[in-house]
Amino acid sequence: MIKKDRKGIHELYSIDPIEADKLLWGRETDSSRRGFLKKTALATMGTFLGAEIAFANTMPAGLIPASLISDEPFLIPGKHAGLVILNDKPINAETPPHLLNDIITPADKLFVRNNGLVPENIDVNNWILTIEGESAKEKKTFTLEELKSNFKHYTYQLTLECGGNGRNEFNPPAKGNQWSLGAVGCPEWTGARLKDVLQSIGVKDDAVYIGYYGKDIHLSQNPDKVVISRGVPVKKAMEDESLIAWSMNNEEIPVMNGYPLRLIFGGWPGSTSGKWLHKIVIRNKIHDGPKMEGASYRVPCNFVSPGSEIDNEDMCIIESMPVKSLITYPKSGAVINDGTFLKVNGHAWAGDYKVSEMQISIDFGSTWQKCELKSPKNRHAWQQWNANVNFPKKGYYEVWARATDSNRKSQPMVVPGWNPKGYLNNACHRIAVKVV
Amino acid sequence: MGERKYNLTDEEKSKVKSLVSFTSYFLFSCLAIISIVTYIMLWYVPEINTATNDQIVEDKVENGIDLSTGLIADEGYKMVKQQCISCHSSKLIIQNRATKEGWTNIIQWMQETQNLWDLGKNEEIIVNYLAKNYAPDEQGRRKPLENIDWYVLKQ
């Protein structure tokens, strides 16, 4: 019997890498020895890697895909190489704060949060959005073209943040991808208002919640298993800025972020904004799809001591995300000369609310300096802030950033209330600065 | 059984010969193709990489780390490689820290909601390995900033 080990692949590639490409993947390159002559070979290789291959057309021939052998750098199609990959299957990646300096987050710098596998063979011409449910007056389907031609288009800049952003700081540790700071972004989204689409069907008076279904594939490969199906209360669904979006920054939504259609609920956990959207259900009770239940996207209704066991009925669904900010310039680790000013800037956001004040501290929170703060472009857009900092003498400093929202709630300096899945860490962002 | 004899002409003999050699060549090719396909399938087709697979990838260890997965090569890691990396990569495991109870809860949650199978006796091996090698570190409410990459800022 053949030994089921990985040695074979190395052997094949060491004997004749070009032949190995052909043998294993049906891959043939032209005389440049880059790219793929046959699309099917690329798909085969992609399927085994569980992802599309970035820069497929320049991928050198005879190269073992890195993720098959080790955790060497792995590039996500359409994404900046500076993103930190937390997981390559399913793909999860965050953007370091210094790459989030743009006011409108570009497509290649928007984080990726997947619970399952990205759908393959997306056929936009036959993409159907179905709307139904016990509180829908009728069941209706729309093609993408119908959505675009039947409803007025709106564009808003909306902040999208993973509920688990900051999870890595909780103690005892919280389960899941260990996001640090960069599972957040604020691109511009274009689509139809969800309320316009819902009202065209008719929402019954007993409607409570809307839920979504997407085309992502469960990790167990079971085609009938739903990966994630969450949603929002009808009140949130009916807001002007709640969109069924088909475009991001005036381009198609990146595949990793939900192409060709997704929901966007600015200021709420990213998991409410379903990707690869193909169905919306109008429910007469709180939607009960996978990841609505248990500890998923819920926190204890009352504060608990770290590490507590909490009954399911004492867990409450996260709605608006808390006030938060990032220092996007300079990158942590800046060394500057004594006597020079340091320009510092970043963004601040506050879920359903507005940021009313922004402060920074260079003395570990003893004193705070007020920053200049801009108004949001629209509701749920992050706001820009900046300050000039003067360091009194040489030494190691940390710049801490603290935003306060329109309810007078500020970011804590330590990690806030512990919860089993490590959501809602909005502790101050800190960067290191050395004055020499 | 009685013995029979056939007398074949030279032409017939050469026809039979070429038929035999063609058939064996054909059968050999089929066999070769089938074994290559099986060989490849055994490594990569995810459905096959389940509990029955005794070894998915070569266990090449460097500095105590299993190279193909990044897992700490301590007692029980091969079981984790067999049971835990067919749905998601080992990266999801390595980033997490939990006690024995915590790891048991994660496994139970995957069994209840994510189609993870019953691990039988192997569960204890896996949980012991994880609780030992991926245990929570002692840390305060907020750690000092780590891994600072100092650079001269040009303003």
Side-chain angles (χ1 to χ4, degrees), chain A residues 5 89 171 178 331 415, chain B residues 43 86 95 114 139 141 151:
Chain A
D5 66 16
K89 184 191 170 194
N171 184 29
Q178 298 296 305
K331 179 174 167 245
V415 179
Chain B
W43 293 328
S86 59
Q95 352 169 11
Q114 309 296 339
Q139 62 173 56
R141 190 75 179 255
Y151 65 98

Side-chain angles (χ1 to χ4, degrees), chain A residues 221-238:
Chain A
Q221 309 269 353
N222 178 345
D224 302 322
K225 197 158 168 58
V226 175
V227 176
I228 180 168
S229 171
R230 304 195 68 248
V232 296
V234 168
K235 184 168 179 284
K236 177 73 179 172
M238 294 297 183

Side-chain angles (χ1 to χ4, degrees), chain A residues 97-399:
Chain A
H98 70 278
L99 292 180
L100 285 170
N101 200 36
D102 303 85
I103 294 174
I104 296 174
T105 310
D108 67 333
K109 291 178 186 150
L110 182 62
F111 72 100
V112 179
R113 191 325 181 212
N114 288 317
N115 299 75
L117 305 173
V118 174
E120 283 164 25
N121 308 322
I122 293 167
D123 179 2
V124 281
N125 296 320
N126 293 308
W127 194 274
I128 301 284
L129 173 66
T130 303
I131 303 193
E132 59 185 25
E134 61 272 3
S135 293
K137 287 197 177 142
E138 58 176 322
K139 173 179 170 172
K140 218 164 171 176
T141 62
F142 300 93
T143 63
L144 287 181
E145 269 326 298
E146 284 166 344
L147 279 175
K148 290 177 191 175
S149 56
N150 295 3
F151 298 98
K152 194 168 168 210
H153 298 194
Y154 293 89
T155 298
Y156 297 106
Q157 196 193 346
L158 300 170
T159 311
L160 203 58
E161 182 179 12
C162 173
N165 198 19
R167 174 175 295 144
N168 72 335
E169 286 196 294
F170 282 100
N171 184 29
K175 297 171 285 215
N177 284 295
Q178 298 296 305
W179 304 101
S180 61
L181 295 151
V184 63
C186 194
E188 226 168 35
W189 304 92
T190 301
R193 279 183 175 157
L194 176 58
K195 70 171 175 188
D196 290 352
V197 179
L198 294 180
Q199 278 161 358
S200 79
I201 283 145
V203 179
K204 290 187 192 163
D205 291 340
D206 65 351
V208 171
Y209 228 84
I210 68 105
Y212 66 75
Y213 289 88
K215 287 250 192 227
D216 39 355
I217 302 156
H218 193 267
L219 292 175
S220 65
Q221 309 269 353
N222 178 345
D224 302 322
K225 197 158 168 58
V226 175
V227 176
I228 180 168
S229 171
R230 304 195 68 248
V232 296
V234 168
K235 184 168 179 284
K236 177 73 179 172
M238 294 297 183
E239 286 182 3
D240 285 353
E241 302 83 7
S242 297
L243 296 182
I244 297 178
W246 51 72
S247 153
M248 188 181 108
N249 299 342
N250 283 318
E251 287 180 357
E252 279 166 346
I253 297 170
V255 176
M256 288 290 151
N257 301 110
Y259 171 80
L261 199 66
R262 69 172 298 172
L263 286 168
I264 297 288
F265 298 109
W268 282 41
S271 61
T272 59
S273 298
K275 293 178 287 200
W276 309 290
L277 178 70
H278 76 93
K279 192 179 2 180
I280 294 174
V281 286
I282 311 176
R283 307 296 313 267
N284 63 7
K285 57 176 184 180
I286 294 175
H287 183 55
D288 50 3
K291 303 249 167 168
M292 283 299 294
E293 79 285 5
S296 293
Y297 302 100
R298 287 177 187 242
V299 290
C301 304
N302 300 316
F303 295 126
V304 299
S305 63
S308 301
E309 292 252 347
I310 304 132
D311 291 338
N312 277 351
E313 66 262 27
D314 296 327
M315 298 287 283
C316 287
I317 299 172
I318 300 168
E319 300 200 327
S320 170
M321 295 286 286
V323 60
K324 202 162 172 179
S325 60
L326 276 181
I327 303 165
T328 56
Y329 181 88
K331 179 174 167 245
S332 184
V335 178
I336 61 167
N337 286 325
D338 193 13
T340 52
F341 271 92
L342 179 66
K343 278 188 182 357
V344 186
N345 69 267
H347 315 288
W349 61 98
D352 277 342
Y353 309 100
K354 225 175 117 167
V355 177
S356 55
E357 195 174 328
M358 186 68 211
Q359 296 166 312
I360 54 169
S361 174
I362 57 164
D363 54 12
F364 308 95
S366 303
T367 62
W368 292 87
Q369 169 186 345
K370 210 172 152 180
C371 307
E372 193 185 319
L373 175 68
K374 297 225 167 70
S375 298
K377 185 161 177 190
N378 50 255
R379 224 178 138 230
H380 303 308
W382 64 14
Q383 296 167 239
Q384 282 59 58
W385 62 266
N386 68 81
N388 262 325
V389 190
N390 182 20
F391 296 92
K393 54 183 181 181
K394 291 179 182 173
Y396 170 88
Y397 290 88
E398 289 178 10
V399 179

Side-chain angles (χ1 to χ4, degrees), chain B residues 64 71-77 80 93-94 96-104 107 123-138:
Chain B
L71 288 166
I72 296 168
D74 193 11
E75 191 185 335
Y77 83 98
V80 174
I93 299 168
I94 292 166
N96 278 281
R97 297 285 179 277
T99 57
K100 196 165 174 177
E101 197 189 355
W103 281 111
T104 308
I107 289 174
E123 178 163 332
E124 200 182 333
I125 301 171
I126 292 171
V127 169
N128 285 341
Y129 164 82
L130 293 169
K132 176 173 169 212
N133 292 290
Y134 299 96
D137 358 312
E138 289 302 323

Side-chain angles (χ1 to χ4, degrees), chain A residues 1-2 4-6 9 24 48 69 86-89 169 171 173 175-178 218-220 222 225 309 329-335 341-343 413-415 428 430 432 434, chain B residues 39-40 42-44 46 53-58 67-68 86-89 91-92 95-97 101 106 109 113-115 136 139-143 145 148-153 155:
Chain A
M1 187 57 211
I2 307 155
K4 283 169 270 176
D5 66 16
R6 185 55 66 72
I9 192 170
L24 287 171
F48 285 119
I69 38 169
L86 301 180
N87 194 350
D88 49 12
K89 184 191 170 194
E169 286 196 294
N171 184 29
K175 297 171 285 215
N177 284 295
Q178 298 296 305
H218 193 267
L219 292 175
S220 65
N222 178 345
K225 197 158 168 58
E309 292 252 347
Y329 181 88
K331 179 174 167 245
S332 184
V335 178
F341 271 92
L342 179 66
K343 278 188 182 357
M413 288 176 256
V414 295
V415 179
C428 295
R430 307 172 293 170
K434 211 187 276 182
Chain B
Y39 194 17
I40 293 166
L42 286 170
W43 293 328
Y44 297 119
N53 236 9
D54 54 3
Q55 197 180 10
I56 298 162
V57 287
E58 184 189 6
L67 285 187
S68 68
S86 59
C87 293
H88 46 68
S89 80
K91 286 194 162 132
L92 192 53
Q95 352 169 11
N96 278 281
R97 297 285 179 277
E101 197 189 355
I106 293 175
W109 170 78
T113 62
Q114 309 296 339
N115 281 8
Q139 62 173 56
R141 190 75 179 255
R142 244 194 146 175
K143 288 191 204 173
L145 292 175
I148 302 167
D149 193 7
W150 295 107
Y151 65 98
V152 175
L153 180 69
Q155 304 195 75

